[in-house]
Amino acid sequence: MLTGLMKDRTGHEPDCWLVVEDWNPIGLLPQGSLPHHSLLDALPTRRPVALVGGDGHNIWVNGRALEIAGVTAATPDPVGGKIVKGADGRPTGVLKDDAQPLVTRHIPEPTEAELVAACARVLAQAAASGVTTMMDALVGRGELSTYRALAAAGKLPQRIVPAIRLDPDQAKDPAAALAYARGLRREFGDVRGLRFGMIKVFLDGVIEYPAQTAALLAPYLDGEGRPTTNRGELYVSAQDYGRLSAVFNRAGWQMHAHGLGDRAVRTALDGYAYARRATGLRDPRNAVAHLQLVDPADLRRFAQLGVAACMQLQWASADTWTMEALLPYIGPERHRWMYPARSLERHGAVLSGGSDWPVDALQVWNQIRTAIDRQGAYGRDPLHRELESLSRTSTLRMHTYGTAWQLRMDGETGTIREGRAADLLVLDRDVMRCPVADISDTAVRLTLVGGRVVHDAESASGRSASAGLARAASGPRPSTYAAVHGGRHRACGCAAH
């Protein structure tokens, strides 16, 4: 059974695309099955079919889609991507990371009006969650054009920090990459609400089985405790990332690295250390996002280098992704260092909080609860709560001041004091005093951005946005590997509340 958001993209059989969003690469049943285009080819349709991974790192397509894209046994892997091939050397229909555009560029795009309407609904729901400022961590010209249209329509309620994505090839040419980023800033710098100055680079992929593209210091295990030869994929070397960071930091830009595995985290830190030596700058406020696995030797380096630890702690619970799809493949010793929030805090790191929407649910208050109890509303059990849970004060700080600090807005927002912007929320409960489990259900009655009301729960638009959040929160959630549906890591965003 195919589940997810299905979109019939133009035309009729046999030429219109069937696109299924939010496919889970680890959820194919029976357990252990691997996706192959022959399974999709057996469906009663001749049209091209694409299942877009909710993790943002995988797409699974049928044979017709491979044919349209011209992907064959002779097609080489692009830089930063992989065309999965079978024992016969032919494509299986699964494309990873930067190989995905080989197919996705053939899928008809939604219209601008459709994009603006969809984004407006989401931004209204973010305002209803209490989000006043956010970083969009996967931005190019297309996304910036949508933000321009949103601003022109008066439907951009938050401050947006667009993090311009650079691919692995661009990372090898810092001068050209800087020119590219500056060009986008010149082109879209007049869009009200946008704050330029952030660069995004994916250093690795995802850690869960079967993708296992996150870069690890020691190899993945085979599920039975035996080491394999796979250490994941490192898309940019420490040397290239350091040179890139130095060029952008010197020009006044910040770096935001997707670093999920411990080898990718170390690569980012090594790159920032090089940039610090090369530029002499002591406060560029670079960041590493996700930090799903951090080697304990690297914990103190965040404070030493002034690097923000951007974490998505709604993931920090014992569920199918952290247990069945991960524990057997990294072992208990490394598993203990999953999302080491308290350890990073203890070593002096500045923590910032991000949602990583749309990879994860836009449930701000469940995220805050999960950072505290390491279980949240959907976890089966706590995930290393006795070692890595945060206090309520620390959790609220990382989602307010911490994120403002990372985005260089701590002189404007992130704290309530005279002279700061009036970014204020009215909640339906005291999250510092209510039972921790009740924090997940917190409702925002009023959201102000700079003193301007962007959400009023009593208004018609506010009721609609709140209802959308409630519907999403009431949806079914997986409790076992066999029931899983969802994904990880399409983008790594930050949102200040």
Side-chain angles (χ1 to χ4, degrees), residues 350-413:
V350 175
L351 304 182
S352 69
S355 68
D356 208 45
W357 185 91
V359 172
D360 211 26
L362 183 62
Q363 294 183 14
V364 167
W365 298 98
N366 184 57
Q367 176 170 304
I368 288 173
R369 170 202 168 169
T370 309
I372 299 167
D373 70 6
R374 302 279 293 199
Q375 181 170 357
Y378 309 111
R380 299 195 300 265
D381 295 295
L383 182 70
H384 307 309
R385 178 167 58 197
E386 70 284 1
L387 299 170
E388 299 299 347
S389 65
L390 296 173
S391 69
R392 298 193 201 209
T393 298
S394 293
T395 302
L396 290 175
R397 183 188 297 118
M398 75 179 287
H399 288 87
T400 52
Y401 171 78
T403 307
W405 184 89
Q406 179 189 337
L407 301 181
R408 290 181 178 166
M409 293 186 187
D410 48 314
E412 178 180 359
T413 186

Side-chain angles (χ1 to χ4, degrees), residues 16-17 26 101 122 162 169 207 268 276 340 346 417 464 473 484:
C16 63
W17 283 77
I26 68 171
V122 167
D169 279 339
I207 196 170
R276 186 183 180 98
R346 189 169 62 248
R417 63 177 64 181
S464 177
V484 70

Side-chain angles (χ1 to χ4, degrees), residues 226-242:
R226 296 181 295 267
T228 68
T229 59
N230 178 28
R231 292 201 301 146
E233 300 179 29
L234 189 65
Y235 303 142
V236 180
S237 70
Q239 183 180 53
D240 285 341
Y241 192 65

Side-chain angles (χ1 to χ4, degrees), residues 32 38 88 96 111 119 129 253 269 281 285 316 322 346 368 406 418 493-494:
S38 60
D88 59 2
K96 297 184 178 184
T111 67
C119 290
S129 301
W253 294 71
L269 294 171
L281 296 173
R285 301 198 187 179
T322 57
R346 189 169 62 248
I368 288 173
Q406 179 189 337
E418 185 177 355
C494 300

Side-chain angles (χ1 to χ4, degrees), residues 156-457:
L156 193 59
Q158 292 93 358
R159 304 179 193 87
I160 306 291
V161 176
I164 297 171
R165 183 192 176 181
L166 301 179
D167 63 33
D169 279 339
Q170 289 174 302
K172 294 179 180 179
D173 190 345
L178 180 60
Y180 167 72
R182 283 173 166 170
L184 290 178
R185 183 170 61 183
R186 284 194 301 270
E187 185 176 352
F188 295 97
D190 62 344
V191 177
R192 185 174 181 179
L194 298 188
R195 306 283 188 93
F196 283 87
M198 190 74 70
I199 296 298
K200 166 68 175 293
V201 177
F202 280 89
L203 295 183
D204 67 346
V206 293
I207 196 170
E208 293 89 0
Y209 176 86
Q212 296 183 334
T213 52
L216 302 186
L217 293 170
Y220 288 91
L221 306 179
D222 64 1
E224 301 295 333
R226 296 181 295 267
T228 68
T229 59
N230 178 28
R231 292 201 301 146
E233 300 179 29
L234 189 65
Y235 303 142
V236 180
S237 70
Q239 183 180 53
D240 285 341
Y241 192 65
R243 291 171 177 169
L244 186 74
S245 298
V247 167
F248 273 98
N249 288 168
R250 191 177 287 115
W253 294 71
Q254 299 169 264
M255 302 298 295
H256 188 85
H258 169 113
L260 201 148
D262 51 10
R263 182 160 60 110
V265 173
R266 181 167 296 177
T267 295
L269 294 171
D270 288 346
Y272 294 148
Y274 171 87
R276 186 183 180 98
R277 293 191 302 269
T279 65
L281 296 173
R282 292 293 180 265
D283 191 28
R285 301 198 187 179
N286 299 316
V288 186
H290 301 324
L291 306 171
Q292 188 166 358
L293 196 61
V294 181
D295 188 272
D298 289 321
L299 294 169
R300 61 174 52 86
R301 299 182 69 196
F302 284 82
Q304 292 170 349
L305 297 170
V307 173
C310 179
M311 307 191 79
Q312 291 64 45
L313 292 177
Q314 190 165 213
W315 304 338
S317 65
D319 59 18
T320 187
W321 294 286
T322 57
M323 303 307 293
E324 290 97 326
L326 187 55
L327 178 58
Y329 304 101
I330 64 172
E333 185 176 347
R334 283 185 289 183
H335 194 269
R336 172 265 173 270
W337 294 103
M338 291 280 290
Y339 305 114
R342 193 197 304 177
S343 293
L344 283 162
E345 181 186 50
R346 189 169 62 248
H347 283 85
V350 175
L351 304 182
S352 69
S355 68
D356 208 45
W357 185 91
V359 172
D360 211 26
L362 183 62
Q363 294 183 14
V364 167
W365 298 98
N366 184 57
Q367 176 170 304
I368 288 173
R369 170 202 168 169
T370 309
I372 299 167
D373 70 6
R374 302 279 293 199
Q375 181 170 357
Y378 309 111
R380 299 195 300 265
D381 295 295
L383 182 70
H384 307 309
R385 178 167 58 197
E386 70 284 1
L387 299 170
E388 299 299 347
S389 65
L390 296 173
S391 69
R392 298 193 201 209
T393 298
S394 293
T395 302
L396 290 175
R397 183 188 297 118
M398 75 179 287
H399 288 87
T400 52
Y401 171 78
T403 307
W405 184 89
Q406 179 189 337
L407 301 181
R408 290 181 178 166
M409 293 186 187
D410 48 314
E412 178 180 359
T413 186
T415 53
I416 299 174
R417 63 177 64 181
E418 185 177 355
R420 297 287 193 267
D423 291 354
L424 302 171
L425 308 182
V426 177
L427 308 179
D428 69 344
R429 67 198 67 192
D430 185 346
V431 294
M432 293 296 289
R433 295 176 181 270
C434 71
V436 170
D438 291 350
I439 296 175
S440 295
D441 297 324
T442 299
V444 178
R445 309 305 303 167
L446 193 70
T447 303
L448 281 73
V449 176
R452 175 172 56 96
V453 175
V454 298
H455 169 71
D456 180 351

